[in-house]
Amino acid sequence: MKTKPLSQDPGSKRYAYRINKEENRKELKHVKIDESSLVQKGQKIDLPKKRYYRQRAHSNPFSDHQLEYPVSPQEMDWSKLYPYYKDAETGQMTKKVTIADIGCGFGGLMIDLSPAFPETLILGMEIRVQVTNYVEDRIIALRNNTLSRHGFQNINVLRGNAMKFLPNFFEKGQLSKMFFCFPDPHFKQRKHKARIITNTLLSEYAYVLKEGGVVYTITDVKDLHEWMVKHLEEHPLFERLSTEWENSDKCVKIMRNATEEGKKVERKKGDKFVACFRRLPNPTIL
Ligand SMILES: C[S@@+](CC[C@H](N)C(=O)[O-])C[C@H]1O[C@@H](n2cnc3c(N)ncnc32)[C@H](O)[C@@H]1O
Protein backbone atom coordinates (compact mmCIF):
# COMPACT_ATOMS: atom_id res chain seq x y z
CA MET A 1 0.00 0.00 0.00
CA LYS A 2 1.24 3.48 -0.85
CA THR A 3 1.74 5.70 2.18
CA LYS A 4 0.79 9.36 2.05
CA PRO A 5 3.63 11.87 2.24
CA LEU A 6 3.94 13.35 5.73
CA SER A 7 2.68 16.74 4.60
CA GLN A 8 -0.69 15.20 3.60
CA ASP A 9 -1.14 12.85 6.53
CA PRO A 10 -3.64 14.47 8.93
CA GLY A 11 -1.96 12.69 11.84
CA SER A 12 1.47 14.16 11.20
CA LYS A 13 3.06 17.07 13.00
CA ARG A 14 3.99 18.70 9.70
CA TYR A 15 0.39 18.56 8.48
CA ALA A 16 -0.87 20.20 11.67
CA TYR A 17 1.85 22.85 11.51
CA ARG A 18 1.08 23.66 7.87
CA ILE A 19 -2.67 23.92 8.48
CA ASN A 20 -2.12 26.24 11.40
CA LYS A 21 0.28 28.47 9.47
CA GLU A 22 -2.02 28.45 6.45
CA GLU A 23 -4.89 29.83 8.49
CA ASN A 24 -2.65 32.51 9.88
CA ARG A 25 -1.38 33.29 6.38
CA LYS A 26 -4.89 33.55 4.93
CA GLU A 27 -5.81 36.00 7.65
CA LEU A 28 -2.68 38.13 7.58
CA LYS A 29 -1.19 37.86 4.10
CA HIS A 30 -2.88 40.87 2.61
CA VAL A 31 -3.73 43.00 5.61
CA LYS A 32 -2.04 46.09 6.81
CA ILE A 33 -0.97 44.88 10.23
CA ASP A 34 -1.43 47.87 12.48
CA GLU A 35 -2.21 48.85 16.05
CA SER A 36 -5.84 47.81 15.70
CA SER A 37 -5.15 44.36 14.35
CA LEU A 38 -5.67 41.29 16.49
CA VAL A 39 -2.12 40.04 16.44
CA GLN A 40 -0.93 43.23 18.07
CA LYS A 41 -1.35 43.59 21.82
CA GLY A 42 2.24 42.55 22.43
CA GLN A 43 1.84 39.17 20.78
CA LYS A 44 4.84 37.97 18.85
CA ILE A 45 4.47 35.54 15.95
CA ASP A 46 7.08 32.77 15.89
CA LEU A 47 9.32 32.74 12.85
CA PRO A 48 8.46 29.75 10.63
CA LYS A 49 10.54 26.59 10.88
CA LYS A 50 12.06 25.47 7.61
CA ARG A 51 11.68 21.77 8.35
CA TYR A 52 7.90 22.02 8.01
CA TYR A 53 8.11 23.48 4.50
CA ARG A 54 10.24 20.81 2.83
CA GLN A 55 9.61 19.97 -0.77
CA ARG A 56 11.56 18.71 -3.75
CA ALA A 57 14.82 20.51 -4.45
CA HIS A 58 13.76 21.45 -7.97
CA SER A 59 10.67 22.50 -9.82
CA ASN A 60 10.62 22.17 -13.59
CA PRO A 61 10.44 25.70 -15.06
CA PHE A 62 8.90 24.32 -18.27
CA SER A 63 5.94 22.63 -16.55
CA ASP A 64 2.52 24.18 -16.63
CA HIS A 65 2.22 25.01 -12.97
CA GLN A 66 -1.05 26.44 -11.82
CA LEU A 67 0.25 29.93 -11.44
CA GLU A 68 -1.66 33.14 -11.02
CA TYR A 69 -0.41 36.08 -13.00
CA PRO A 70 -1.91 39.32 -14.30
CA VAL A 71 -2.60 39.78 -18.01
CA SER A 72 -0.52 42.94 -17.86
CA PRO A 73 1.34 44.95 -15.17
CA GLN A 74 -1.57 47.42 -15.05
CA GLU A 75 -3.84 44.61 -13.82
CA MET A 76 -1.57 43.68 -10.93
CA ASP A 77 -2.86 44.61 -7.48
CA TRP A 78 0.36 45.36 -5.62
CA SER A 79 -1.48 46.73 -2.60
CA LYS A 80 -2.16 43.14 -1.54
CA LEU A 81 1.56 42.55 -1.18
CA TYR A 82 2.51 45.97 0.18
CA PRO A 83 -0.60 47.26 1.99
CA TYR A 84 1.47 49.81 3.86
CA TYR A 85 2.11 51.67 0.59
CA LYS A 86 -1.53 52.00 -0.46
CA ASP A 87 -2.81 55.56 -0.22
CA ALA A 88 -5.92 55.39 1.94
CA GLU A 89 -7.62 58.25 0.07
CA THR A 90 -6.89 57.42 -3.54
CA GLY A 91 -6.56 53.65 -3.12
CA GLN A 92 -3.45 53.89 -5.34
CA MET A 93 0.02 52.58 -4.61
CA THR A 94 2.52 55.25 -3.63
CA LYS A 95 5.47 53.24 -4.93
CA LYS A 96 6.32 50.58 -7.48
CA VAL A 97 8.53 47.54 -7.07
CA THR A 98 12.01 48.37 -8.36
CA ILE A 99 14.16 45.54 -6.99
CA ALA A 100 13.55 41.89 -7.87
CA ASP A 101 15.18 38.80 -6.38
CA ILE A 102 14.70 36.08 -8.97
CA GLY A 103 14.45 32.59 -7.47
CA CYS A 104 14.57 34.09 -3.99
CA GLY A 105 14.52 30.73 -2.17
CA PHE A 106 13.97 31.23 1.54
CA GLY A 107 14.14 35.03 1.30
CA GLY A 108 17.38 35.85 3.13
CA LEU A 109 18.50 38.43 0.56
CA MET A 110 15.28 40.46 0.79
CA ILE A 111 15.41 40.44 4.56
CA ASP A 112 18.86 42.03 4.53
CA LEU A 113 18.03 44.40 1.65
CA SER A 114 14.88 45.64 3.41
CA PRO A 115 16.58 47.93 5.97
CA ALA A 116 19.31 48.87 3.48
CA PHE A 117 16.65 50.22 1.05
CA PRO A 118 13.82 51.30 3.35
CA GLU A 119 12.18 53.47 0.68
CA THR A 120 12.24 50.84 -2.04
CA LEU A 121 9.77 48.04 -2.77
CA ILE A 122 11.52 44.69 -3.17
CA LEU A 123 9.93 41.55 -4.60
CA GLY A 124 11.11 37.95 -4.43
CA MET A 125 9.87 35.58 -7.11
CA GLU A 126 9.95 31.88 -6.31
CA ILE A 127 8.56 28.91 -8.20
CA ARG A 128 8.29 26.35 -5.36
CA VAL A 129 5.03 26.46 -3.39
CA GLN A 130 6.24 25.50 0.07
CA VAL A 131 9.30 27.72 -0.20
CA THR A 132 7.05 30.64 -1.15
CA ASN A 133 4.76 29.82 1.80
CA TYR A 134 7.77 29.84 4.09
CA VAL A 135 8.84 33.30 2.89
CA GLU A 136 5.27 34.62 3.24
CA ASP A 137 5.09 33.33 6.81
CA ARG A 138 8.53 34.75 7.56
CA ILE A 139 7.48 38.19 6.33
CA ILE A 140 4.15 38.08 8.22
CA ALA A 141 6.05 37.30 11.44
CA LEU A 142 8.74 39.93 10.83
CA ARG A 143 6.17 42.62 10.02
CA ASN A 144 4.15 41.79 13.09
CA ASN A 145 7.16 41.66 15.38
CA THR A 146 8.52 45.02 14.23
CA LEU A 147 5.18 46.77 14.09
CA SER A 148 6.21 49.89 15.98
CA ARG A 149 8.91 50.72 13.43
CA HIS A 150 6.95 49.47 10.37
CA GLY A 151 9.69 46.97 9.59
CA PHE A 152 9.71 44.78 6.48
CA GLN A 153 6.70 46.47 4.86
CA ASN A 154 8.79 46.99 1.72
CA ILE A 155 9.43 43.31 0.92
CA ASN A 156 7.23 40.49 -0.25
CA VAL A 157 7.22 37.32 -2.29
CA LEU A 158 5.22 35.98 -5.21
CA ARG A 159 4.92 32.43 -6.41
CA GLY A 160 5.81 32.72 -10.05
CA ASN A 161 7.92 31.43 -12.88
CA ALA A 162 10.40 34.17 -13.73
CA MET A 163 11.25 32.41 -16.97
CA LYS A 164 7.73 32.90 -18.26
CA PHE A 165 5.87 35.79 -16.74
CA LEU A 166 8.13 38.72 -15.84
CA PRO A 167 6.60 41.12 -18.42
CA ASN A 168 3.17 40.32 -16.97
CA PHE A 169 4.26 41.80 -13.66
CA PHE A 170 6.69 44.56 -14.62
CA GLU A 171 6.43 47.41 -17.06
CA LYS A 172 9.19 48.27 -19.47
CA GLY A 173 12.09 49.81 -17.54
CA GLN A 174 10.44 49.40 -14.13
CA LEU A 175 13.27 47.64 -12.30
CA SER A 176 16.54 49.15 -11.15
CA LYS A 177 18.12 45.94 -9.82
CA MET A 178 17.66 42.22 -10.52
CA PHE A 179 19.36 39.58 -8.43
CA PHE A 180 20.18 36.04 -9.55
CA CYS A 181 21.69 34.47 -6.46
CA PHE A 182 22.93 30.90 -6.62
CA PRO A 183 20.55 29.93 -9.44
CA ASP A 184 19.97 26.22 -10.08
CA PRO A 185 23.05 25.05 -12.03
CA HIS A 186 21.38 22.42 -14.25
CA PHE A 187 24.72 20.68 -14.73
CA LYS A 188 23.93 18.36 -17.64
CA GLN A 189 24.30 19.82 -21.10
CA ARG A 190 20.80 18.80 -22.18
CA LYS A 191 19.46 20.72 -19.16
CA HIS A 192 21.30 23.96 -19.93
CA LYS A 193 18.18 25.34 -21.60
CA ALA A 194 16.56 25.38 -18.15
CA ARG A 195 19.18 27.83 -16.84
CA ILE A 196 17.73 31.14 -15.79
CA ILE A 197 20.23 33.12 -17.89
CA THR A 198 19.88 32.52 -21.64
CA ASN A 199 19.98 34.85 -24.64
CA THR A 200 16.20 35.01 -24.96
CA LEU A 201 15.60 35.53 -21.27
CA LEU A 202 18.25 38.25 -21.13
CA SER A 203 16.22 40.24 -23.64
CA GLU A 204 13.23 39.99 -21.30
CA TYR A 205 15.35 41.04 -18.34
CA ALA A 206 16.65 43.99 -20.40
CA TYR A 207 13.03 44.92 -21.15
CA VAL A 208 11.95 45.12 -17.49
CA LEU A 209 15.22 46.77 -16.35
CA LYS A 210 15.68 50.50 -16.72
CA GLU A 211 18.68 51.90 -18.55
CA GLY A 212 21.53 52.02 -16.03
CA GLY A 213 19.86 49.26 -13.97
CA VAL A 214 22.02 46.41 -12.70
CA VAL A 215 21.89 42.61 -12.99
CA TYR A 216 23.63 40.93 -10.05
CA THR A 217 24.80 37.32 -10.31
CA ILE A 218 26.52 35.07 -7.78
CA THR A 219 27.15 31.33 -7.80
CA ASP A 220 29.51 28.76 -6.35
CA VAL A 221 29.54 26.80 -9.62
CA LYS A 222 32.38 27.99 -11.85
CA ASP A 223 30.89 26.55 -15.03
CA LEU A 224 27.59 28.37 -14.39
CA HIS A 225 29.44 31.59 -13.60
CA GLU A 226 31.27 31.37 -16.93
CA TRP A 227 27.98 30.60 -18.70
CA MET A 228 26.26 33.64 -17.16
CA VAL A 229 29.21 35.94 -17.92
CA LYS A 230 29.43 34.69 -21.51
CA HIS A 231 25.73 35.23 -22.21
CA LEU A 232 25.59 38.61 -20.53
CA GLU A 233 28.77 39.78 -22.29
CA GLU A 234 27.40 38.67 -25.63
CA HIS A 235 24.12 40.51 -25.14
CA PRO A 236 24.18 44.00 -26.73
CA LEU A 237 22.22 45.58 -23.86
CA PHE A 238 24.55 44.62 -21.01
CA GLU A 239 28.03 45.71 -19.99
CA ARG A 240 30.10 44.10 -17.23
CA LEU A 241 30.90 46.23 -14.20
CA SER A 242 34.44 46.29 -12.83
CA THR A 243 35.77 44.50 -9.76
CA GLU A 244 36.31 47.96 -8.17
CA TRP A 245 32.64 48.71 -8.74
CA GLU A 246 31.67 45.35 -7.19
CA ASN A 247 33.88 45.98 -4.17
CA SER A 248 32.29 49.36 -3.50
CA ASP A 249 28.66 48.34 -4.02
CA LYS A 250 26.63 47.67 -0.89
CA CYS A 251 24.34 45.16 -2.62
CA VAL A 252 27.27 42.97 -3.62
CA LYS A 253 28.34 42.91 0.01
CA ILE A 254 24.85 41.92 1.12
CA MET A 255 24.42 39.38 -1.67
CA ARG A 256 27.67 37.59 -0.75
CA ASN A 257 26.43 36.79 2.74
CA ALA A 258 22.67 37.12 3.05
CA THR A 259 21.16 34.27 1.10
CA GLU A 260 20.62 30.79 2.51
CA GLU A 261 22.62 29.20 -0.32
CA GLY A 262 25.41 31.72 0.22
CA LYS A 263 25.56 30.78 3.90
CA LYS A 264 25.75 27.09 3.00
CA VAL A 265 28.65 27.79 0.64
CA GLU A 266 30.34 29.82 3.37
CA ARG A 267 30.05 26.93 5.84
CA LYS A 268 31.59 24.58 3.29
CA LYS A 269 34.28 27.18 2.53
CA GLY A 270 33.32 27.07 -1.16
CA ASP A 271 34.03 29.71 -3.80
CA LYS A 272 31.62 32.51 -4.62
CA PHE A 273 31.83 33.93 -8.12
CA VAL A 274 30.26 37.36 -8.60
CA ALA A 275 29.50 39.19 -11.85
CA CYS A 276 27.44 42.37 -12.22
CA PHE A 277 26.23 43.97 -15.42
CA ARG A 278 24.80 47.38 -16.25
CA ARG A 279 21.80 47.70 -18.54
CA LEU A 280 22.97 49.86 -21.45
CA PRO A 281 20.78 52.50 -23.11
CA ASN A 282 18.61 51.35 -25.98
CA PRO A 283 20.34 52.07 -29.31
CA THR A 284 18.75 54.78 -31.41
CA ILE A 285 17.04 53.34 -34.45
CA LEU A 286 17.84 55.43 -37.51
C1 LIG B 1 19.54 27.19 -5.52
S1 LIG B 1 18.15 28.10 -5.05
C2 LIG B 1 18.80 29.68 -4.53
C3 LIG B 1 17.86 30.42 -3.65
C4 LIG B 1 18.32 31.79 -3.17
N1 LIG B 1 18.50 32.72 -4.26
C5 LIG B 1 19.57 31.68 -2.36
O1 LIG B 1 20.63 32.15 -2.81
O2 LIG B 1 19.50 31.12 -1.26
C6 LIG B 1 17.37 28.55 -6.59
C7 LIG B 1 15.93 28.93 -6.39
O3 LIG B 1 15.38 29.41 -7.60
C8 LIG B 1 14.05 28.92 -7.70
N2 LIG B 1 13.70 28.94 -9.14
C9 LIG B 1 14.22 28.14 -10.10
N3 LIG B 1 13.68 28.44 -11.31
C10 LIG B 1 12.81 29.45 -11.10
C11 LIG B 1 11.93 30.20 -11.94
N4 LIG B 1 11.87 29.94 -13.24
N5 LIG B 1 11.17 31.17 -11.39
C12 LIG B 1 11.24 31.43 -10.07
N6 LIG B 1 12.04 30.75 -9.21
C13 LIG B 1 12.82 29.78 -9.72
C14 LIG B 1 14.12 27.54 -7.10
O4 LIG B 1 12.88 27.03 -6.70
C15 LIG B 1 15.07 27.77 -5.93
O5 LIG B 1 14.39 28.12 -4.75
Side-chain angles (χ1 to χ4, degrees):
M1 203 178 73
K2 233 180 165 184
T3 51
K4 278 185 184 170
L6 262 184
S7 53
Q8 289 166 28
D9 175 359
S12 79
K13 216 171 153 189
R14 189 185 298 174
Y15 182 86
Y17 185 92
R18 283 189 179 178
I19 293 288
N20 180 291
K21 281 286 183 194
E22 205 164 308
E23 277 166 17
N24 211 22
R25 197 180 311 128
K26 264 191 210 142
E27 192 185 330
L28 297 174
K29 188 169 158 180
H30 297 315
V31 300
K32 182 170 175 178
I33 303 174
D34 60 22
E35 285 70 16
S36 62
S37 89
L38 285 173
V39 284
Q40 233 278 322
K41 300 176 184 145
Q43 272 178 277
K44 294 264 181 207
I45 297 182
D46 288 340
L47 285 168
K49 294 184 172 60
K50 254 195 220 162
R51 65 174 182 274
Y52 292 117
Y53 297 79
R54 293 234 173 89
Q55 72 169 104
R56 271 200 242 157
H58 299 290
S59 182
N60 182 353
F62 300 122
S63 299
D64 285 322
H65 302 274
Q66 285 189 323
L67 296 170
E68 281 180 28
Y69 57 92
V71 247
S72 73
Q74 290 68 39
E75 304 290 315
M76 177 67 194
D77 184 2
W78 291 106
S79 69
K80 286 186 160 182
L81 297 183
Y82 307 94
Y84 191 73
Y85 292 88
K86 180 179 177 177
D87 186 301
E89 275 172 30
T90 63
Q92 298 298 308
M93 286 294 289
T94 56
K95 281 182 187 296
K96 287 183 180 180
V97 170
T98 55
I99 299 183
D101 181 10
I102 305 300
C104 68
F106 293 96
L109 179 74
M110 286 195 288
I111 284 160
D112 281 16
L113 286 178
S114 174
F117 294 89
E119 300 303 321
T120 305
L121 296 194
I122 304 167
L123 180 80
M125 195 173 269
E126 173 52 52
I127 201 166
R128 288 184 293 165
V129 187
Q130 287 305 328
V131 178
T132 312
N133 287 345
Y134 172 88
V135 182
E136 283 182 345
D137 290 344
R138 196 173 180 188
I139 293 171
I140 287 172
L142 288 169
R143 283 183 179 177
N144 180 72
N145 300 350
T146 56
L147 204 51
S148 55
R149 58 176 174 87
H150 308 300
F152 305 99
Q153 299 291 340
N154 62 334
I155 58 171
N156 219 327
V157 64
L158 255 184
R159 180 169 181 239
N161 184 346
M163 290 166 74
K164 286 190 180 174
F165 301 118
L166 279 188
N168 292 73
F169 289 98
F170 303 120
E171 293 161 13
K172 183 177 174 185
Q174 180 172 334
L175 299 179
S176 62
K177 298 177 198 297
M178 290 180 88
F179 289 88
F180 297 88
C181 299
F182 302 94
D184 293 330
H186 298 290
F187 288 108
K188 292 183 188 143
Q189 184 134 17
R190 66 184 172 81
K191 295 267 181 174
H192 283 177
K193 60 180 184 298
R195 286 182 168 172
I196 203 132
I197 300 278
T198 61
N199 289 337
T200 322
L201 287 170
L202 280 177
S203 294
E204 275 195 19
Y205 305 153
Y207 173 82
V208 295
L209 260 181
K210 70 175 186 184
E211 292 177 6
V214 176
V215 162
Y216 292 82
T217 72
I218 183 167
T219 176
D220 56 326
V221 180
K222 192 153 184 261
D223 171 63
L224 178 64
H225 168 69
E226 286 166 357
W227 165 283
M228 294 195 287
V229 168
K230 175 178 178 293
H231 284 79
L232 276 148
E233 274 180 348
E234 280 172 8
H235 198 285
L237 288 176
F238 291 101
E239 166 188 77
R240 185 152 188 193
L241 289 153
S242 66
T243 314
E244 292 76 55
W245 184 93
E246 284 171 11
N247 292 339
S248 64
D249 184 72
K250 71 173 173 181
C251 291
V252 173
K253 205 169 175 190
I254 295 174
M255 165 175 93
R256 281 183 197 277
N257 301 304
T259 82
E260 283 69 16
E261 281 300 319
K263 286 183 180 140
K264 243 192 248 173
V265 176
E266 195 71 44
R267 283 195 294 275
K268 290 184 186 163
K269 306 219 178 317
D271 292 319
K272 290 182 193 173
F273 304 99
V274 170
C276 302
F277 287 77
R278 180 177 287 125
R279 161 70 157 92
L280 292 168
N282 294 330
T284 30
I285 298 166
L286 298 172

